[in-house]
Amino acid sequence: MGKLLLLNGPNLNRLGKREPDVYGSETLEDIEKKVRSVLEPYQYQLDSSQSNHEGELIDWIHEAEGKYHGIIFNPGAYTHTSIALRDAISSITVPVIEVHISNVHKRESFRHTSMLAPVCSGQIVGLGTNGYRLAAMYFLESNL
Ligand code: DQA
């Protein structure tokens, strides 16, 4: 049985209330449900965690080794700043897909750079909350 980890970084607990013109009206719970519904027919399990703290996200990435087949990760603003998260991803063999709800390339220039993308398997950007589902489908189709 496959097992995936859905990880969300800072401020993503505010989805649904936070800048709905940029991030839409769905909550993190809605997103979790959507991803679960993609995985369920294939008997894939999903664990989901959100943190506003870089160190906590790093701990969870380390703990994912040997436990999950893949990680779907929206690192929020840490995407653009965190060498520590990049090193955490590099330290494990579990593949990570970086997801952004908004099209970061259409936004401020500081959002155009990802510290993490070079150590992730891939990146899904600007497809709204569907990006999370698409990442789950990638893992299913890769048969991980
Ligand atoms: C985000 C994009 C980031 O630039 C921003 O800091 C977020 C959300 C997205 O999902 O579009 O918190 O990761």
Side-chain angles (χ1 to χ4, degrees), residues 2-127:
K3 213 171 168 191
L4 300 182
L5 177 64
L6 174 63
L7 265 191
N8 279 281
N11 302 305
L12 293 160
N13 54 315
R14 304 273 312 149
L15 283 177
K17 300 184 195 98
R18 171 193 188 197
E19 301 177 79
D21 46 318
V22 180
Y23 299 112
S25 57
E26 277 175 292
T27 64
L28 203 46
E29 237 182 18
D30 296 332
I31 292 166
E32 283 166 14
K33 273 191 204 142
K34 260 190 171 177
V35 176
R36 275 216 173 84
S37 71
V38 168
L39 295 173
E40 254 161 24
Y42 300 91
Q43 266 136 48
Y44 264 64
Q45 261 182 33
L46 184 77
D47 288 338
S48 177
S49 300
Q50 184 277 331
S51 179
N52 295 319
H53 305 277
E54 191 176 18
E56 196 163 37
L57 292 164
I58 292 169
D59 289 342
W60 291 340
I61 290 168
H62 294 168
E63 287 161 17
E65 185 77 319
K67 213 166 139 193
Y68 296 99
H69 298 93
I71 303 176
I72 301 166
F73 188 23
N74 185 343
Y78 286 141
T79 307
H80 319 298
T81 62
S82 181
I83 298 167
L85 276 172
R86 176 190 178 126
D87 289 349
I89 294 169
S90 294
S91 83
I92 61 168
T93 58
V94 185
V96 177
I97 309 276
E98 180 184 323
V99 172
H100 299 287
I101 297 168
S102 65
N103 184 350
V104 285
H105 301 291
K106 270 192 192 165
R107 301 179 64 195
E108 303 95 326
S109 59
F110 61 81
R111 294 186 204 275
H112 297 177
T113 307
S114 169
M115 292 286 177
L116 312 187
V119 296
C120 289
S121 301
Q123 196 191 36
I124 300 175
V125 170
L127 304 183

